[in-house]
């Protein structure tokens, strides 16, 4: 079994920055994809950014140039550095780890990010 725990959410003013962390534990597979997704009230969950254990990244167009995903493979931890935050970035942010061989996925419980003055 795999456990995923996010942290670092909170309230920030527009234009501010915030860093989210995601720690995975348990039976971690060597070839995997860690990613951040978000879900705003009344909207579907959407991809924010993903990164393979080999360092390949993918970003949603809405966050390119503002958000940066990174990983510490030795610690099975992923980070999301968010800058120039906008009110429309307000959402619950979820971390996900996916086994790229079997396709199995595990989600965290989510962390709230609120961008408001």
């Amino acid at each position: 079994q795999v456990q995923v725990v996010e942290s670092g959410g909170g309230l920030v003013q527009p234009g501010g920055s915030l860093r989210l962390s995601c720690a995975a534990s348990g039976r971690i597979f060597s070839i995997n994809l860690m990613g951040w997704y978000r879900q705003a009230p009344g909207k579907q969950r959407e991809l924010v950014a993903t990164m393979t254990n080999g360092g390949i990244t993918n970003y949603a167009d809405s966050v390119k140039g503002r958000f940066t995903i990174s990983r510490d493979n030795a610690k099975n931890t992923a980070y999301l550095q968010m800058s120039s935050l906008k009110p429309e970035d307000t959402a619950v942010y979820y971390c996900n780890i996916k086994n790229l061989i079997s396709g199995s996925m595990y989600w965290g419980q989510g962390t709230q990010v609120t961008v408001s003055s």
Side-chain angles (χ1 to χ4, degrees):
Q1 188 68 322
V2 176
Q3 295 78 42
V4 179
V5 179
E6 305 99 335
S7 61
L11 173 65
V12 62
Q13 292 187 340
S17 299
L18 207 58
R19 188 193 196 209
L20 306 182
S21 299
C22 169
S25 60
R27 295 188 63 185
I28 306 298
F29 9 89
S30 58
I31 301 175
N32 62 71
L33 179 77
M34 293 188 78
W36 290 95
Y37 296 74
R38 67 187 181 187
Q39 187 167 18
K43 295 187 177 181
Q44 290 190 333
R45 190 173 298 188
E46 62 177 4
L47 178 146
V48 175
T50 62
M51 188 173 188
T52 69
N53 56 297
I56 299 172
T57 59
N58 181 43
Y59 292 92
D61 287 342
S62 60
V63 306
K64 284 181 180 177
R66 300 188 299 122
F67 291 10
T68 301
I69 187 171
S70 61
R71 291 182 55 160
D72 183 336
N73 289 333
K75 297 180 179 180
N76 294 313
T77 300
Y79 306 95
L80 185 68
Q81 179 66 48
M82 304 184 292
S83 302
S84 302
L85 282 162
K86 305 175 182 180
E88 50 263 44
D89 294 317
T90 296
V92 177
Y93 283 70
Y94 296 91
C95 181
N96 165 284
I97 183 168
K98 180 179 180 180
N99 181 337
L100 291 178
I101 302 300
S102 70
S104 57
M105 298 171 61
Y106 299 87
W107 292 91
Q109 80 288 349
T111 185
Q112 177 70 45
V113 172
T114 302
V115 184
S116 175
S117 55

